[in-house]
Amino acid sequence: MRISFLLFLLGTLSVDAFAPTSRVSTRFRLAAATESVPQQPDVEEVDVVVVGAGIGGLSCAALSSYYGLETVCLEAHDTAGGVAHSFDRYSSASKTVPFRFDAGPSLISGCSRPSTNPLRQLLDAVGTSNEIEWKQYDGWIIHDYADGKSFKLTTGDSGAFEKALEEKEGKASREAFEAFKDKILADGGISEVSAYIPPFALRGDIWIGASLAQYFLKLLRIGTKGLLLTGPFSKLMDMYELQDEFVRKFFDYLAFALSGLDAAHTQAAPVAYMMSDLHKPGMVLDYPMGGMDSLIQSLVSGCEKHGGQVRVNSRVDRFLLEEGSGVFGGNQAECHGVVLADGKVIKARKGVVSNVPLWNMASILDTSTGENDSGAVAEAVREIRQQADGMEMTGSFMHLHLGIPKDGLGDVECHHSVLDFSIDVTAEQNMVIISIPTVFDPNLAPEGYHIVHAYTAACDSFDDWQKYLETEQDSGIVGSSPNAGAASKYNTMDGYNELKEQKAEVLWKAIECVIPDVRDRAKQEGSIVMIGTPLTHRRYNQRFRGTYGPAPGSGKDVWELPGASTKIKGLLACGDTTFPGIGLPGVAASGTVAANTLVDVQKQTELMNRLRESGALQ
């Protein structure tokens, strides 16, 4: 059932949901376990505990709080946001105005106005969509190393992109793209169908049929297109006879930017939906003024305004697992809460929702069973461990964050992609994505400076960095025993800094396509230069082996992801290793599905009706 619903994915463009270095943003007003919070008792009881304050966890916490459940969201880091958090740095350029860097995603669509984007729908549901000021813009620049040419992917239906494509590759490529686009965007076609069912209609238990009842006719209209949408996007290119070599590579590029995989290994649903989000009339891209911090704050606000809490510096060490009686006889594993690293116990009356990647969740579960290797609890943990071990993963990232003088630069575009279309898009370090958010919001940096963020888009190997971990293999437990030393010592180990500089060279060269004298600017007084490695990504974002997310398993064209329910009663899951997968819209959807599962269908249906009446839900 859950795999068939992958066709609704649910997502608009979130082309660069990646993450690097980080520290706390001074604007965060969250409750921290070590500061500004009244002393808590050793044992606390709430309705719902959410583990991890990434977009998925915050979405779940905000919605479960809206539903009237007493909710606590726990974050190991000192700031919320997960892969999408922001962080501040100061330089001699200003002692009072920081450089505010986005750690990860910065190219978003479908959030500045009511849409089918699950993230926008979640913000509408919890009442905080108007807290964000969005800058709308019309596309980004693509630079091709193969021929030295650049062209702009312009949103909407003005024909500007098609004209740029013709100038880049010729009339045949333009005509091939237009013919394929018309088929994808046809009325009742693949792109339209991909958005038929909103995540607010989904849940992770046996009551999903009831919650989907009002979408019965749309389910019928989906029909056999569902199989196409859950298969690889390359199958659509073959079926619609897209033969042009460059246009096919272009869709490999789009798929890779979305999922870290090429079109032959990316689900058709999100790419088909992306086509709609890019090329239908009036389509725009969105950037949150104030940086991604503004989006995170709106999710935190959505939790807090309904009585929930987000607590940072609150690392979960163990799940509280017990053995209970199964519905049909026998015993089953149950989760009743969590134990923090400082020993505090928080019990959950309704359930625990894990927003950590499946690999990390399995590691926490391993430590939760102690020496007990028999019984229902141990068996359930083993099954989840096997599930995690069987899930492949995408690559990791190098990141370069810069604060540089902008004098003499003139007008530059905010977003850029730099790659060599003559080789495989998935080749190591082939694709670099660049963001210059001060183009939209100068207040993100001291006066006279630009912020530049460049990263290799899930195309760096973690293997090169494995030797700097103290253990032979990544345990999945980051920043605490047994890998605490790995988080603080690798940057002093022989060869680490040299490898970091070597691997960052591709980022400097990519930025030079946009700002030719960037290296000179980076050396000027008041500038900032920060290089992040896959180990940096792993450390600050709790990402196993620094990965972007899941990849198809052996013998599979596309990934098949678990749903919100797990093998343990009372333990749900959300985030990018659960349905519907990678990207801001996808993880917001997963949080929505988990929260829906915590309440009865009546409450879920009442919310859907309210959203539909307000125009926020289709």
Side-chain angles (χ1 to χ4, degrees):
M1 174 74 78
R2 61 177 176 257
I3 299 306
S4 66
F5 288 127
L6 217 51
L7 59 93
F8 309 133
L9 201 152
L10 294 175
T12 63
L13 185 61
S14 177
V15 175
D16 61 326
F18 309 111
T21 61
S22 60
R23 282 317 290 167
V24 65
S25 166
T26 57
R27 290 179 60 203
F28 278 102
R29 46 182 173 74
L30 308 179
T34 58
E35 59 187 24
S36 70
V37 175
Q39 185 64 42
Q40 299 288 340
D42 291 336
V43 179
E44 181 182 3
E45 188 170 0
V46 297
D47 289 325
V48 179
V49 174
V50 179
V51 182
I55 294 287
L58 289 173
S59 297
C60 179
L63 187 56
S64 63
S65 297
Y66 169 84
Y67 279 137
L69 301 178
E70 185 182 0
T71 303
V72 171
C73 183
L74 305 171
E75 170 57 42
H77 193 16
D78 53 16
T79 189
V83 170
H85 71 272
S86 298
F87 63 98
D88 291 347
R89 286 290 185 274
Y90 291 85
S91 79
S92 59
S94 172
K95 301 297 184 182
T96 58
V97 179
F99 291 88
R100 170 152 296 146
F101 294 101
D102 290 333
S106 56
L107 201 157
I108 306 170
S109 69
C111 281
S112 59
R113 54 195 177 189
S115 73
T116 54
N117 185 327
L119 180 55
R120 170 65 196 220
Q121 291 175 347
L122 186 283
L123 294 171
D124 285 331
V126 301
T128 60
S129 57
N130 292 329
E131 293 182 5
I132 309 169
E133 179 186 354
W134 294 96
K135 169 65 178 180
Q136 297 181 337
Y137 62 107
D138 68 349
W140 70 91
I141 308 297
I142 303 170
H143 307 262
D144 185 0
Y145 278 133
D147 58 12
K149 294 182 180 180
S150 301
F151 62 107
K152 184 172 183 177
L153 196 163
T154 305
T155 59
D157 64 340
S158 67
F161 171 63
E162 290 81 352
K163 181 180 179 181
L165 182 61
E166 181 174 346
E167 291 175 355
K168 168 73 168 67
E169 288 294 318
K171 184 177 180 181
S173 291
R174 172 180 180 156
E175 291 175 344
F177 174 82
E178 289 177 330
F180 182 70
K181 180 191 70 172
D182 289 345
K183 293 173 183 176
I184 291 289
L185 299 184
D187 290 343
I190 290 294
S191 185
E192 181 180 311
V193 166
S194 68
Y196 270 175
I197 310 298
F200 276 94
L202 305 178
R203 51 192 296 124
D205 58 19
I206 61 174
W207 301 108
I208 188 172
S211 67
L212 276 170
Q214 55 193 286
Y215 289 92
F216 179 71
L217 292 179
K218 285 192 173 181
L219 286 169
L220 291 179
R221 290 169 64 187
I222 290 171
T224 57
K225 291 185 178 72
L227 294 177
L228 291 172
L229 287 166
T230 56
F233 187 77
S234 58
K235 188 173 182 179
L236 287 180
M237 293 195 288
D238 294 339
M239 187 178 75
Y240 292 142
E241 299 180 331
L242 177 60
Q243 302 295 330
D244 187 89
E245 181 180 0
F246 182 81
V247 177
R248 289 183 70 97
K249 286 186 175 182
F250 174 76
F251 280 107
D252 275 333
Y253 154 76
L254 281 184
F256 191 78
L258 179 69
S259 71
L261 304 162
D262 61 17
H265 297 91
T266 299
Q267 289 251 341
V271 186
Y273 192 97
M274 190 194 313
M275 284 290 290
S276 174
D277 225 30
L278 288 175
H279 297 296
K280 281 202 168 182
M283 292 295 101
V284 294
L285 300 175
D286 305 316
Y287 183 78
M289 299 296 281
M292 289 299 290
D293 178 40
S294 298
L295 174 59
I296 299 306
Q297 287 290 350
S298 70
L299 290 169
V300 172
S301 174
C303 181
E304 292 178 342
K305 73 185 295 183
H306 298 294
Q309 295 184 45
V310 180
R311 301 178 188 171
V312 298
N313 293 320
S314 300
R315 179 179 297 280
V316 170
D317 191 47
R318 293 182 289 119
F319 295 111
L320 286 173
L321 304 179
E322 297 178 9
E323 198 165 288
S325 298
V327 177
F328 302 105
N331 295 327
Q332 66 178 356
E334 298 178 352
C335 181
H336 295 286
V338 299
V339 180
L340 304 188
D342 63 3
K344 179 178 176 62
V345 175
I346 305 180
K347 295 184 177 181
R349 291 182 287 263
K350 286 284 189 178
V352 174
V353 182
S354 172
N355 182 51
V356 299
L358 181 61
W359 306 286
N360 304 66
M361 185 177 82
S363 296
I364 298 174
L365 284 169
D366 288 340
T367 66
S368 302
T369 58
E371 297 180 356
N372 182 14
D373 60 357
S374 62
V377 170
E379 178 59 28
V381 170
R382 276 195 293 270
E383 289 187 36
I384 293 174
R385 164 52 65 190
Q386 290 171 359
Q387 188 179 38
D389 289 345
M391 182 180 285
E392 300 294 331
M393 63 190 73
T394 58
S396 190
F397 319 92
M398 288 293 301
H399 289 261
L400 183 58
H401 282 94
L402 302 176
I404 58 173
K406 64 180 181 182
D407 57 290
L409 278 181
D411 293 334
V412 294
E413 296 272 353
C414 177
H415 291 290
H416 304 258
S417 295
V418 184
L419 71 158
D420 187 339
F421 275 100
S422 70
I423 63 176
D424 192 328
V425 69
T426 66
E428 186 167 356
Q429 293 202 312
N430 184 26
M431 187 159 79
V432 174
I433 292 178
I434 301 168
S435 175
I436 312 173
T438 38
V439 168
F440 300 142
D441 189 352
N443 293 323
L444 293 172
E447 185 176 358
Y449 285 81
H450 266 318
I451 281 174
V452 182
H453 174 204
Y455 55 85
T456 51
C459 52
D460 254 286
S461 171
F462 191 79
D463 292 341
D464 296 328
W465 307 90
Q466 181 70 55
K467 62 186 176 182
Y468 297 106
L469 294 179
E470 290 188 340
T471 53
E472 291 184 2
Q473 296 295 326
D474 193 342
S475 70
I477 301 175
V478 184
S480 63
S481 180
N483 275 346
S488 58
K489 295 180 180 177
Y490 57 72
N491 58 351
T492 63
M493 296 177 69
D494 289 344
Y496 176 79
N497 287 322
E498 290 79 4
L499 181 60
K500 183 169 69 171
E501 294 291 339
Q502 173 190 332
K503 291 289 188 177
E505 182 62 20
V506 67
L507 302 175
W508 288 106
K509 289 182 177 178
I511 298 173
E512 285 173 336
C513 293
V514 183
I515 305 174
D517 62 345
V518 62
R519 298 186 203 235
D520 291 335
R521 291 174 183 270
K523 294 176 182 177
Q524 293 183 31
E525 179 69 22
S527 294
I528 286 180
V529 177
M530 293 180 292
I531 300 174
T533 73
L535 289 174
T536 317
H537 180 90
R538 168 190 176 273
R539 174 185 178 185
Y540 285 108
N541 296 299
Q542 312 291 299
R543 301 297 299 186
F544 182 68
R545 289 181 61 82
T547 185
Y548 178 28
S554 178
K556 301 289 186 181
D557 290 324
V558 294
W559 34 247
E560 295 181 356
L561 300 177
S565 298
T566 72
K567 300 289 184 181
I568 299 174
K569 181 182 178 182
L571 178 62
L572 300 175
C574 63
D576 60 12
T577 52
T578 64
F579 164 81
I582 290 173
L584 295 185
V587 294
S590 73
T592 298
V593 174
N596 289 343
T597 309
L598 292 165
V599 298
D600 58 42
V601 175
Q602 182 179 350
K603 280 192 174 182
Q604 181 184 358
T605 302
E606 289 173 352
L607 175 57
M608 284 194 288
N609 290 338
R610 178 179 72 80
L611 291 173
R612 194 175 294 107
E613 290 171 2
S614 69
L617 192 67
Q618 70 273 30

